[in-house]
Amino acid sequence: MSIWLKKSFFVLLSILTFGLVSPTQPFLNEENHAFAKNNGKPSSVEATPEEAREEESVLTHDEFIETMLEQAEKNAYEKFGTKIKPVIEDEFRSLILPNIERAIADTAAQFPEEDLTSLTISEVPQYAKTEKIFHIYDERSGEDVIRFHVRKDHPPKDGYYFNFHYHTVHDKFLAHHELGSIYWNKNTPPQWMSVS
């Protein structure tokens, strides 16, 4: 209800009842509630709920990268499980994570800041044999933007390696973009998500 209409109603009610009846508390509290929502500042124009949500949820590129990187590390450790994680964690942090950060930053640079809020990170798949660590996808369309994977490599007459790489929408996910490899040892590594 507009402010002038509220004031007119208040004045009319006061005149008709000779000031004996005042408006109810909920009527008065609407204005106080709007006043409190604006941190004590009166608002001349009220924002719609969609506008308020957009203003609050716009991420800067740096905030987006930081959020995605935290989730990427969490998803990677979940994928590794408690048998693999302790063995490769240090190398993953020092060699692979900075490359993941670079890939996420390159991807974020291709989007305006207002579109970054629609990009989200997928869950770690429960099926242990897949290469997928996580994907970053657009919630609006449901389509992947970038896919981060790890596979177990076993070159002839050599030990096992974890090969980290990613695929992007720009080449239709065909090319492998290397993030790095971490040596396991000559023994077959445990399944993903194995618990010790």
Side-chain angles (χ1 to χ4, degrees):
M1 194 183 260
S2 69
I3 293 174
W4 68 269
L5 193 57
K6 287 180 187 179
K7 288 182 181 180
S8 299
F9 178 71
F10 184 76
V11 169
L12 183 62
L13 186 63
S14 297
I15 291 171
L16 291 175
T17 61
F18 302 107
L20 297 174
V21 177
S22 62
T24 61
Q25 286 295 20
F27 177 77
L28 293 173
N29 283 340
E30 280 183 39
E31 189 174 43
N32 290 339
H33 181 66
F35 189 70
K37 273 177 39 179
N38 293 321
N39 296 326
K41 298 175 189 156
S43 69
S44 56
V45 178
E46 290 185 26
T48 64
E50 289 129 9
E51 288 172 347
R53 199 172 25 249
E54 284 177 17
E55 286 176 18
E56 291 174 5
S57 63
V58 172
L59 292 173
T60 66
H61 283 93
D62 291 338
E63 290 170 333
F64 173 77
I65 293 165
E66 184 180 328
T67 302
M68 289 294 124
L69 197 59
E70 285 174 13
Q71 189 64 39
E73 187 173 11
K74 179 180 167 274
N75 282 18
Y77 293 152
E78 186 179 331
K79 169 88 172 172
F80 299 159
T82 57
K83 284 189 176 179
I84 296 174
K85 180 188 173 202
V87 178
I88 68 169
E89 181 177 8
D90 292 339
E91 282 183 277
F92 177 78
R93 264 205 191 119
S94 62
L95 298 175
I96 307 301
L97 214 49
N99 293 334
I100 290 176
E101 181 177 13
R102 243 177 265 117
I104 292 172
D106 290 347
T107 300
Q110 297 169 12
F111 289 89
E113 285 184 346
E114 55 273 5
D115 287 350
L116 293 177
T117 56
S118 66
L119 297 181
T120 191
I121 200 164
S122 66
E123 298 293 319
V124 177
Q126 295 302 313
Y127 183 62
K129 294 189 187 262
T130 65
E131 290 185 3
K132 177 181 175 182
I133 304 173
F134 65 91
H135 296 172
I136 295 176
Y137 66 96
D138 190 331
E139 287 180 314
R140 298 171 296 190
S141 66
E143 298 194 9
D144 290 341
V145 175
I146 188 168
R147 299 173 178 168
F148 290 90
H149 294 168
V150 59
R151 72 169 179 251
K152 297 173 187 175
D153 285 345
H154 183 60
K157 299 184 181 181
D158 202 351
Y160 286 88
Y161 290 85
F162 295 118
N163 174 267
F164 294 87
H165 57 277
Y166 67 97
H167 309 273
T168 68
V169 70
H170 302 296
D171 58 17
K172 298 181 181 166
F173 306 107
L174 297 175
H176 273 64
H177 302 277
E178 292 294 321
L179 294 167
S181 291
I182 298 175
Y183 180 73
W184 173 254
N185 62 36
K186 297 226 182 248
N187 299 325
T188 305
Q191 288 293 330
W192 298 121
M193 303 171 98
S194 294
V195 181
S196 49

